[in-house]
């Protein structure tokens, strides 16, 4: 199996009558492959790769020198290099800690520009503590727009967690389905598509960075007030 969701799958749009081969659809609803109890339902501690191995199979290094195979090595982004992304990642890590405390904190890794690129900008990714990531790099233009940066980091974090760990995150506690990042009143929020019943409509669960307020024990909430 090559992934967890149909978010990036091309089968259904390319081959008529085929698709739904992955455990979850692009809305994070369970498909037959998921209901059969495949890898998406592994225990929370299950891993798909050894610690310290990237999604492309190379070990994490702390320098930018190319390895003998010509694959650039990632480096860990130092605090303050990308302050807007740093602040966004801190909020996203709060949401990760609220639901999957054993999986974080996430961190930023950077790769140098590819040889064919005219720009000298490096590529920054949201990675797991062991250095694995999945998906595209962060949009460079979001550095000047904090709400856009928060939305970009949240989506990148979700892709990394779900595709590297095969765990749906974050999950709406009310409906038990995965949530999406959406913009609402100029801020990114976690949006749930709702349940299957007419009385279970779609809704906004919380602002990105505020899931801990929903999952904090009641006693802790009272003390904070």
């Amino acid at each position: 199996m090559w992934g967890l969701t149909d978010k990036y799958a091309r089968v259904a749009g390319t081959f008529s009558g085929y698709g739904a081969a992955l455990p979850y659809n692009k809305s994070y609803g369970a498909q037959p492959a998921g209901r059969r109890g495949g890898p998406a339902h592994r225990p929370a501690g299950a891993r798909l790769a050894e610690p310290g191995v990237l999604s492309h199979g190379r070990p994490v290094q702390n320098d930018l020198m190319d390895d003998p195979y010509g694959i650039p090595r990632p480096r860990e982004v130092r605090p303050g290099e990308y302050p807007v992304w740093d602040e966004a990642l801190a909020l996203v890590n709060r949401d990760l800690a609220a639901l999957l405390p054993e999986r974080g904190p996430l961190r930023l890794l950077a790769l140098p520009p590819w040889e064919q690129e005219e720009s000298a900008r490096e590529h920054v990714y949201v990675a797991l503590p062991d250095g694995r990531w999945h998906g595209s790099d962060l949009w460079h233009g979001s550095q000047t727009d904090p709400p856009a940066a928060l939305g970009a980091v949240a989506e990148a974090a979700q892709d990394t967690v779900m595709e590297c760990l095969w765990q749906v995150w974050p999950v709406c506690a009310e409906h038990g389905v995965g949530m999406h990042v959406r913009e609402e009143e100029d801020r990114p929020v976690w949006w749930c598509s709702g349940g299957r019943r007419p009385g279970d409509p779609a809704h906004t669960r919380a602002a990105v960075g505020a899931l801990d307020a929903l999952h904090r024990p009641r006693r802790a909430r009272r003390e904070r007030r």
Side-chain angles (χ1 to χ4, degrees):
M1 193 172 294
W2 58 90
L4 179 66
T5 79
D6 281 342
K7 184 175 181 179
Y8 301 102
R10 300 185 180 93
V11 175
T14 304
F15 303 99
S16 178
Y18 292 87
L22 298 178
Y24 293 90
N25 59 31
K26 63 182 180 180
S27 297
Y28 309 138
Q31 300 189 129
R35 288 191 288 269
R36 286 196 295 269
H41 296 275
R42 292 181 180 182
R47 290 184 178 271
L48 299 182
E50 293 299 322
V53 177
L54 299 177
S55 58
H56 53 61
R58 305 303 302 169
V60 175
Q61 301 290 339
N62 292 322
D63 58 72
L64 288 175
M65 296 179 61
D66 290 347
D67 69 6
Y69 300 98
I71 300 175
R73 295 173 177 174
R75 69 172 184 86
E76 188 162 8
V77 174
R78 295 183 296 274
E81 288 188 75
Y82 300 101
V84 177
W85 286 341
D86 285 343
E87 293 177 7
L89 185 61
L91 289 173
V92 172
N93 272 326
R94 285 174 55 180
D95 288 346
L96 184 66
L99 300 180
L100 296 175
E102 74 283 0
R103 295 304 192 183
L106 303 173
R107 56 186 177 135
L108 299 179
L109 293 181
L111 282 173
W114 308 114
E115 293 181 358
Q116 65 272 23
E117 290 181 320
E118 297 181 1
S119 173
R121 295 172 178 170
E122 61 184 358
H123 302 274
V124 180
Y125 301 85
V126 177
L128 295 172
D130 62 21
R132 288 177 292 158
W133 77 80
H134 183 90
S136 302
D137 58 329
L138 297 175
W139 175 49
H140 203 271
S142 67
Q143 290 185 85
T144 60
D145 185 347
L150 182 55
V153 170
E155 288 187 335
Q158 188 175 41
D159 283 347
T160 288
V161 169
M162 293 181 64
E163 296 293 343
C164 291
L165 300 178
W166 287 22
Q167 280 188 273
V168 176
W169 172 83
V171 174
C172 174
E174 183 177 345
H175 296 107
V177 297
M179 295 185 285
H180 299 264
V181 178
R182 284 198 174 187
E183 186 175 310
E184 185 176 282
E185 298 180 355
D186 297 324
R187 65 172 184 173
V189 299
W190 292 116
W191 177 85
C192 170
S193 60
R196 297 182 179 181
R197 299 176 181 176
D200 290 332
H203 64 107
T204 297
R205 183 66 177 165
V208 174
L211 285 178
D212 62 331
L214 298 177
H215 294 270
R216 192 183 305 117
R218 293 182 179 179
R219 182 176 179 181
R221 293 182 197 175
R222 288 196 297 267
E223 290 176 353
R224 187 169 182 176
R225 293 174 186 172

